[in-house]
Structure formats: C-alpha cells, structure tokens
Amino acid sequence: MDRLDNTVRPYAWGSTTAIPKLLGVEPSGEPQAEMWMGAHPGAPSRTARGTLVEVVEAAPEQELGEEAAAKFGPRLPFLLKILAAGAPLSLQVHPNLAQAKEGYADEERRGIPVDAPYRNYKDANHKPELICALTEFDGLCGFRDPLRAADLLAGLGVDSLKPYVDLLHAHPEEAALREVLTAILTADPEDMRHTVTAAATACTRLGGDYAPYADIAHHYPGDPGVIAAMLLNHVRLQPGEALFLGAGIPHAYLNGLGVEIMANSDNVLRCGLTPKHVDVPELLRVVRFEASDPGVLRPEASPDGEEVYETPIDEFRLSRYVLPAGTGVHDLTLDTPQILLCTAGAVTAGEFELAPGQSVFVPAGDKAEVSGVGTIFRATVIV
C-alpha cells in the first residue's frame, strides 16, 4: 500500500475554497479545480516508490493483477479526481472507443502535434465518467425533450430565438436537436452575442428555472454555449448522489464539490462555454442526438457496508463506505488495483492515517484493512 501525493490543477473555473476546506488548509486565493489520483501522465500521483506511472510500468502484473493487466494492458485504466467547480466548466462531449481510435489515428496520420490547441484526440481511448456529489452539485446532462427545450427558449421572449423554437417543434427528435445545435454553433458570432445578451437579461429577470443560465451567461458573456446549454437537462445532485456520463452525452458541471472517476483518457470535444477550440463538424459526428433523463444514481448497499455506484463499463468501479463508530476493521482486499480516498472523518488504511482528501494506492492482492469513523471511497476495476 502506498500513500499518494497528488497534484491539484489550478484551472480557471476551480473553486478557491472547496478543496482547501476539504483538506483543512488555508486557501491560497488561487482557483483549485481538480486533484488527480492515478497514473495519468499529465499529473501522476507520487509515492515513495516513484510516480504511480513508474510503479505500474515496472511490474504491471504485480501492481494491477494478472487479469486486469491482460484486460486493460499495462496501465491503470482509471483516473480518480476530487473536482471543485466554482464556475461552469465547458459544455462538452466524449467519444466512444471506436471514435476515439479513429480520431486519434487520423490526427496522428495528419501530423497534428498532440499538444496543439486545435487537436481533438489526445489518446485512443474513450472517456466515460461518473461524478458523485460531496456537496450540493449542479450540472447539465443530456438533451431535454425538444418540446420542453422549445418552451424554455420561447419563455424568454427573445425574437432571435424564434427560429430555434420553430425547428424544435417542426422535426422528429433527432433531427430537431441536431439542426438546432448546428444552427447555434454556426450562427454569425456578432448576431449570437446579441442573442445571448438578450437571453441572459431575460434569465436574470425571470429567475426560477432560468437562474442557472443567467449564472452561465455571467461567466461566459456572448458565448453560444449559453443557448446550447438550454437544450440540456439541468440537474442538482444532493451529497451521495451521482451521474454517469457515457459517450456522446453533452454535459457540463456548473458548481459544487464531488468525487469524479473516469477512464484514463483526455479526449474532450467542446460545444461552448470555453475560449478553447470548438470543432463543430467533429462534435456533430460524436454527439448522440436523443433526449434522455439525467438518470441520477444512488448507491446500492451490500451486506458488508459497501455502497456501489453501478455503471455499464469495466474500466472503473466506484463505491463508498460510511464507517460509523464501533464497526471495527473492514477487509477491502481485492485481486484488482484500488485507490482508497477519505472524504470525511479519520480513517486508518493499513499503516496510514487518512484525513479528508488523502488517499492510498493498493496493489492487486495486497492486504487492505480500513477502520475508523468517516467516509472512504474505493476506486477499482471490473475483470
């Protein structure tokens, strides 16, 4: 078992207070957006044996277990994060595995540098993800029913939105959503700025269901993503609730603190709410144009106290243990690699005392006993 020393990424949308509060340290005044736990080469966790990338590469079958190494290759297939959104993240979508492989191969063939700002595919992997709220957490997830989206846009009373309202009423679901998103993202930039400004003013005046979009527009004035965001379901998670975001599902996190886990990839196609590259044709190829319920997940409890967030993929499995006083020692030993993360209280994992925000890596098959009073999240894989 290795204690992890993890990097905090200072993205501009990060909260200045949420991660410091969790860690029990004074805020620096700078945004602290994500704390990464895993073996992603962009910011691998550090251990006494070297970075987690180096540890796994040195002995993949020993660290990951024979089955996981055979199934996923000689790398840790998931990345665990604490995510603290103080402002909305970009509106985005992730490719499926086939799209990622095809897109990565194409950009490699065309010689696009992997760090180029206009590159879409940083690797050949998909990026399904799960966010579990530690505080009340706001996000956007999946398309609304087109008629509900039309009603929301019409309620603003902005004349330049009427063509979008008409499109949403006039077509079958997939065509309506595709045509409207395409029209929003390809509109004349100056015309769109005027539309977004008028819509933001109306959202502020109306409040209620429109309030989240007024806040989005405050952070991204004139951005077409403000209108695109109104096509999506708004969801507010309570602590312990989660969202699973599969390939092709447009989404954005707006505000709150959560535990996020994803396949070990950095492939993001953006729809707006960002100064970064937006590749509209590629985005439209990847997006799934279908209305969907956000599908809030609540954990399924097992007899041993493990609460599992069920998802349809194998690269990661997230669960939590809420340890009350007097429960003794829990044996969490598995034949797969694990990261254990404390988010509340004080928990002992093996020889390590974990306070909130602290974590350990447990190689496959290594003894993993935990005790104490608090909450611990377990990240592993399914083989």
Side-chain angles (χ1 to χ4, degrees), residues 290-341:
E290 58 186 44
S292 61
D293 185 277
V296 174
L297 294 177
R298 296 171 181 86
E300 297 289 332
S302 61
D304 69 351
E306 185 182 27
E307 300 176 337
V308 181
Y309 294 91
E310 297 287 354
T311 64
I313 59 145
D314 295 342
E315 280 94 336
F316 62 76
R317 177 183 184 273
L318 186 71
S319 61
R320 70 173 184 177
Y321 289 82
V322 179
L323 307 176
T327 56
V329 174
H330 292 254
D331 187 354
L332 274 56
T333 305
L334 291 175
D335 291 330
T336 51
Q338 305 182 67
I339 291 178
L340 304 178
L341 165 67

Coordinates of all heavy atoms in Angstrom, one line a residue, residues 290-341:
E290 N -30.4 12.5 -28.9 CA -31.5 11.9 -28.3 C -31.8 12.5 -27.0 O -30.9 12.7 -26.2 CB -31.4 10.4 -28.2 CG -30.2 10.0 -27.4 CD -29.9 8.5 -27.5 OE1 -30.0 7.9 -28.6 OE2 -29.6 7.9 -26.4
A291 N -33.1 12.7 -26.7 CA -33.5 13.2 -25.4 C -33.3 12.1 -24.4 O -33.5 10.9 -24.7 CB -34.9 13.7 -25.4
S292 N -32.9 12.5 -23.1 CA -32.7 11.4 -22.1 C -33.0 12.0 -20.7 O -32.8 13.2 -20.5 CB -31.3 10.9 -22.2 OG -30.3 11.9 -22.0
D293 N -33.3 11.2 -19.8 CA -33.4 11.5 -18.4 C -32.0 11.6 -17.9 O -31.2 10.7 -18.2 CB -34.2 10.5 -17.7 CG -34.5 10.9 -16.2 OD1 -33.6 10.6 -15.4 OD2 -35.5 11.4 -15.9
P294 N -31.6 12.5 -17.0 CA -30.3 12.6 -16.4 C -29.9 11.3 -15.7 O -28.7 11.0 -15.6 CB -30.3 13.8 -15.5 CG -31.4 14.6 -15.9 CD -32.5 13.7 -16.5
G295 N -30.9 10.6 -15.2 CA -30.5 9.3 -14.5 C -29.7 9.4 -13.3 O -28.6 8.9 -13.2
V296 N -30.2 10.1 -12.3 CA -29.4 10.3 -11.0 C -29.2 8.9 -10.4 O -30.2 8.1 -10.2 CB -30.2 11.2 -10.1 CG1 -29.5 11.3 -8.7 CG2 -30.3 12.6 -10.7
L297 N -28.0 8.6 -10.0 CA -27.6 7.3 -9.4 C -27.6 7.5 -7.9 O -27.0 8.4 -7.4 CB -26.3 6.8 -9.9 CG -26.2 6.4 -11.4 CD1 -24.7 6.1 -11.7 CD2 -27.1 5.3 -11.7
R298 N -28.1 6.5 -7.2 CA -27.9 6.4 -5.8 C -27.3 5.0 -5.5 O -27.6 4.1 -6.2 CB -29.3 6.5 -5.0 CG -29.9 7.9 -5.2 CD -31.3 8.1 -4.7 NE -31.8 9.4 -5.0 CZ -32.4 9.8 -6.1 NH1 -32.5 8.9 -7.1 NH2 -32.8 11.0 -6.3
P299 N -26.4 5.0 -4.5 CA -25.6 3.7 -4.4 C -26.4 2.6 -3.9 O -27.4 2.7 -3.1 CB -24.5 4.1 -3.4 CG -25.1 5.2 -2.6 CD -26.0 6.0 -3.5
E300 N -26.0 1.4 -4.4 CA -26.7 0.1 -3.9 C -25.9 -0.5 -2.8 O -24.7 -0.7 -3.0 CB -26.7 -0.9 -5.1 CG -27.6 -0.4 -6.3 CD -29.1 -0.4 -6.0 OE1 -29.5 -1.3 -5.1 OE2 -29.8 0.4 -6.6
A301 N -26.5 -0.6 -1.6 CA -25.8 -1.1 -0.5 C -25.7 -2.7 -0.5 O -26.6 -3.4 -0.9 CB -26.5 -0.7 0.8
S302 N -24.5 -3.2 -0.1 CA -24.3 -4.6 0.0 C -24.2 -5.0 1.5 O -24.0 -4.1 2.4 CB -23.0 -5.0 -0.7 OG -21.9 -4.4 -0.1
P303 N -24.3 -6.2 1.9 CA -24.3 -6.6 3.3 C -23.1 -6.2 4.1 O -23.2 -6.0 5.3 CB -24.5 -8.1 3.2 CG -25.1 -8.4 1.9 CD -24.6 -7.4 1.0
D304 N -21.9 -6.1 3.4 CA -20.7 -5.7 4.1 C -20.6 -4.2 4.3 O -19.5 -3.7 4.8 CB -19.5 -6.3 3.5 CG -19.2 -5.7 2.1 OD1 -20.0 -4.9 1.6 OD2 -18.1 -6.0 1.5
G305 N -21.6 -3.4 3.9 CA -21.5 -2.0 4.1 C -21.0 -1.2 2.9 O -21.0 0.0 2.8
E306 N -20.5 -1.9 1.8 CA -20.1 -1.2 0.6 C -21.3 -0.7 -0.2 O -22.3 -1.4 -0.4 CB -19.3 -2.2 -0.3 CG -18.7 -1.5 -1.5 CD -17.9 -2.4 -2.4 OE1 -18.2 -3.6 -2.4 OE2 -17.0 -1.9 -3.1
E307 N -21.3 0.5 -0.6 CA -22.3 1.2 -1.4 C -21.8 1.4 -2.8 O -20.9 2.2 -3.0 CB -22.8 2.5 -0.7 CG -23.3 2.3 0.7 CD -23.7 3.6 1.4 OE1 -23.1 4.6 1.0 OE2 -24.5 3.6 2.3
V308 N -22.3 0.7 -3.8 CA -21.7 0.7 -5.1 C -22.5 1.6 -6.1 O -23.8 1.5 -6.1 CB -21.7 -0.7 -5.7 CG1 -21.1 -0.8 -7.1 CG2 -20.9 -1.7 -4.7
Y309 N -21.8 2.4 -6.9 CA -22.4 3.1 -7.9 C -22.3 2.3 -9.2 O -21.3 2.2 -9.8 CB -21.8 4.5 -8.1 CG -22.0 5.4 -6.9 CD1 -21.1 5.4 -5.8 CD2 -23.1 6.2 -6.8 CE1 -21.3 6.2 -4.7 CE2 -23.3 7.0 -5.7 CZ -22.4 7.0 -4.6 OH -22.6 7.8 -3.5
E310 N -23.4 1.7 -9.6 CA -23.4 0.8 -10.8 C -23.3 1.5 -12.1 O -24.1 2.5 -12.3 CB -24.7 -0.1 -10.8 CG -24.8 -1.0 -9.6 CD -23.8 -2.2 -9.6 OE1 -23.1 -2.3 -10.6 OE2 -23.8 -2.9 -8.6
T311 N -22.4 1.1 -13.0 CA -22.2 1.7 -14.3 C -22.0 0.6 -15.3 O -21.7 -0.5 -14.9 CB -21.0 2.7 -14.4 OG1 -19.8 1.9 -14.1 CG2 -21.1 3.8 -13.3
P312 N -22.2 0.9 -16.6 CA -22.2 -0.2 -17.6 C -20.8 -0.5 -18.2 O -20.7 -1.1 -19.3 CB -23.1 0.3 -18.7 CG -23.0 1.8 -18.6 CD -22.8 2.1 -17.2
I313 N -19.7 0.0 -17.5 CA -18.4 -0.2 -18.1 C -17.5 -0.9 -17.1 O -17.8 -1.0 -15.9 CB -17.8 1.1 -18.5 CG1 -17.7 2.1 -17.4 CG2 -18.6 1.8 -19.7 CD1 -16.5 2.9 -17.4
D314 N -16.3 -1.3 -17.5 CA -15.4 -2.1 -16.7 C -14.1 -1.4 -16.3 O -13.5 -1.8 -15.3 CB -15.0 -3.4 -17.4 CG -16.1 -4.3 -17.7 OD1 -17.2 -4.2 -17.0 OD2 -16.0 -5.2 -18.6
E315 N -13.8 -0.2 -16.9 CA -12.5 0.4 -16.6 C -12.5 1.0 -15.2 O -11.5 1.2 -14.6 CB -12.3 1.6 -17.6 CG -11.7 1.1 -18.9 CD -12.8 0.9 -19.9 OE1 -14.0 0.7 -19.6 OE2 -12.5 1.0 -21.1
F316 N -13.7 1.2 -14.6 CA -13.7 1.7 -13.2 C -15.0 1.2 -12.5 O -16.0 0.9 -13.2 CB -13.6 3.2 -13.2 CG -14.8 4.0 -13.8 CD1 -16.0 4.1 -13.2 CD2 -14.6 4.7 -15.0 CE1 -17.0 4.8 -13.8 CE2 -15.6 5.4 -15.6 CZ -16.8 5.5 -15.0
R317 N -14.8 1.1 -11.2 CA -16.0 0.8 -10.3 C -15.8 1.7 -9.1 O -14.7 1.6 -8.4 CB -15.9 -0.7 -10.0 CG -17.0 -1.1 -9.0 CD -16.8 -2.6 -8.7 NE -17.8 -3.2 -7.8 CZ -17.8 -3.1 -6.5 NH1 -16.7 -2.5 -5.8 NH2 -18.7 -3.7 -5.7
L318 N -16.8 2.5 -8.8 CA -16.7 3.4 -7.7 C -17.7 3.0 -6.6 O -18.9 2.7 -6.9 CB -17.0 4.8 -8.1 CG -16.8 5.9 -6.9 CD1 -15.3 6.1 -6.6 CD2 -17.4 7.2 -7.3
S319 N -17.2 2.9 -5.4 CA -18.1 2.6 -4.2 C -17.6 3.4 -3.0 O -16.6 4.1 -3.0 CB -18.1 1.1 -3.9 OG -16.8 0.7 -3.6
R320 N -18.4 3.4 -2.0 CA -18.0 4.1 -0.8 C -18.4 3.3 0.5 O -19.3 2.5 0.4 CB -18.7 5.5 -0.7 CG -20.2 5.5 -0.5 CD -20.7 6.9 -0.2 NE -22.1 6.8 0.1 CZ -22.9 7.8 0.4 NH1 -22.4 9.0 0.4 NH2 -24.2 7.7 0.6
Y321 N -17.7 3.6 1.5 CA -18.0 3.0 2.9 C -18.2 4.2 3.8 O -17.3 5.0 3.9 CB -16.9 2.1 3.4 CG -16.7 0.8 2.6 CD1 -16.0 0.7 1.4 CD2 -17.3 -0.4 3.2 CE1 -15.8 -0.5 0.8 CE2 -17.1 -1.6 2.5 CZ -16.4 -1.6 1.3 OH -16.2 -2.8 0.7
V322 N -19.4 4.2 4.5 CA -19.6 5.2 5.5 C -19.4 4.4 6.8 O -20.2 3.5 7.2 CB -21.0 5.8 5.5 CG1 -21.2 6.8 6.6 CG2 -21.2 6.5 4.1
L323 N -18.3 4.7 7.6 CA -17.9 3.9 8.7 C -18.3 4.6 10.0 O -17.8 5.7 10.4 CB -16.4 3.8 8.7 CG -15.7 3.2 7.5 CD1 -14.2 3.2 7.6 CD2 -16.2 1.8 7.2
P324 N -19.3 4.1 10.7 CA -19.7 4.6 12.0 C -18.8 4.1 13.1 O -18.0 3.2 12.9 CB -21.2 4.1 12.1 CG -21.2 2.8 11.4 CD -20.2 3.0 10.3
A325 N -19.0 4.8 14.2 CA -18.2 4.3 15.4 C -18.5 2.9 15.8 O -19.7 2.5 15.7 CB -18.4 5.3 16.6
G326 N -17.5 2.2 16.2 CA -17.7 0.8 16.7 C -17.9 -0.3 15.7 O -18.3 -1.4 16.1
T327 N -17.5 0.0 14.5 CA -17.7 -1.1 13.4 C -16.5 -1.9 13.2 O -16.5 -2.9 12.5 CB -18.1 -0.5 12.1 OG1 -17.2 0.5 11.7 CG2 -19.5 0.2 12.2
G328 N -15.4 -1.6 13.9 CA -14.2 -2.4 13.8 C -13.5 -2.3 12.5 O -13.5 -1.3 11.8
V329 N -12.8 -3.4 12.0 CA -12.0 -3.4 10.9 C -12.8 -4.0 9.7 O -13.4 -5.0 9.8 CB -10.7 -4.2 11.1 CG1 -9.9 -4.3 9.8 CG2 -9.9 -3.6 12.2
H330 N -12.6 -3.3 8.5 CA -13.2 -3.8 7.3 C -12.1 -4.3 6.4 O -11.1 -3.5 6.1 CB -14.0 -2.7 6.6 CG -15.2 -2.2 7.3 ND1 -16.5 -2.6 6.9 CD2 -15.4 -1.5 8.4 CE1 -17.4 -2.1 7.7 NE2 -16.7 -1.4 8.6
D331 N -12.2 -5.5 5.9 CA -11.2 -6.0 4.9 C -11.7 -5.7 3.5 O -12.6 -6.2 3.0 CB -11.1 -7.5 5.1 CG -10.0 -8.1 4.3 OD1 -9.3 -7.4 3.5 OD2 -9.7 -9.3 4.5
L332 N -10.9 -4.8 2.8 CA -11.2 -4.4 1.5 C -10.3 -5.0 0.4 O -10.2 -4.6 -0.7 CB -11.2 -2.9 1.4 CG -12.4 -2.1 1.7 CD1 -12.9 -2.4 3.1 CD2 -12.2 -0.6 1.6
T333 N -9.6 -6.1 0.8 CA -8.6 -6.7 -0.1 C -9.3 -7.2 -1.4 O -10.4 -7.8 -1.3 CB -8.0 -7.9 0.6 OG1 -7.4 -7.5 1.8 CG2 -6.9 -8.5 -0.3
L334 N -8.7 -6.9 -2.5 CA -9.2 -7.4 -3.8 C -8.1 -7.9 -4.7 O -6.9 -7.6 -4.4 CB -9.9 -6.2 -4.6 CG -11.2 -5.7 -4.0 CD1 -11.6 -4.5 -4.9 CD2 -12.3 -6.7 -4.1
D335 N -8.4 -8.6 -5.7 CA -7.4 -9.1 -6.7 C -7.3 -8.1 -7.8 O -6.7 -8.4 -8.9 CB -7.8 -10.5 -7.3 CG -7.8 -11.6 -6.3 OD1 -6.9 -11.5 -5.4 OD2 -8.6 -12.5 -6.4
T336 N -7.7 -6.9 -7.6 CA -7.6 -5.8 -8.6 C -7.0 -4.6 -7.9 O -7.1 -4.5 -6.7 CB -9.0 -5.4 -9.2 OG1 -9.9 -5.2 -8.1 CG2 -9.5 -6.5 -10.1
P337 N -6.4 -3.6 -8.7 CA -5.8 -2.5 -8.1 C -6.9 -1.5 -7.5 O -8.0 -1.5 -8.0 CB -5.1 -1.8 -9.2 CG -5.9 -2.2 -10.4 CD -6.3 -3.6 -10.2
Q338 N -6.5 -0.8 -6.4 CA -7.5 0.1 -5.8 C -6.9 1.4 -5.4 O -5.7 1.5 -5.1 CB -8.0 -0.5 -4.5 CG -8.6 -1.9 -4.6 CD -9.1 -2.3 -3.2 OE1 -10.1 -1.8 -2.6 NE2 -8.5 -3.3 -2.6
I339 N -7.6 2.5 -5.5 CA -7.3 3.7 -4.8 C -8.4 3.9 -3.7 O -9.6 3.9 -4.0 CB -7.2 4.9 -5.8 CG1 -6.0 4.7 -6.7 CG2 -7.1 6.2 -5.0 CD1 -5.8 5.8 -7.7
L340 N -8.0 4.2 -2.5 CA -8.9 4.4 -1.4 C -8.7 5.9 -1.0 O -7.6 6.4 -0.8 CB -8.6 3.6 -0.2 CG -8.6 2.0 -0.5 CD1 -8.2 1.3 0.8 CD2 -9.9 1.6 -1.0
L341 N -9.8 6.6 -1.0 CA -9.9 8.1 -0.8 C -10.8 8.4 0.4 O -11.9 8.1 0.4 CB -10.4 8.8 -2.0 CG -10.8 10.3 -1.9 CD1 -9.6 11.2 -1.5 CD2 -11.5 10.8 -3.1

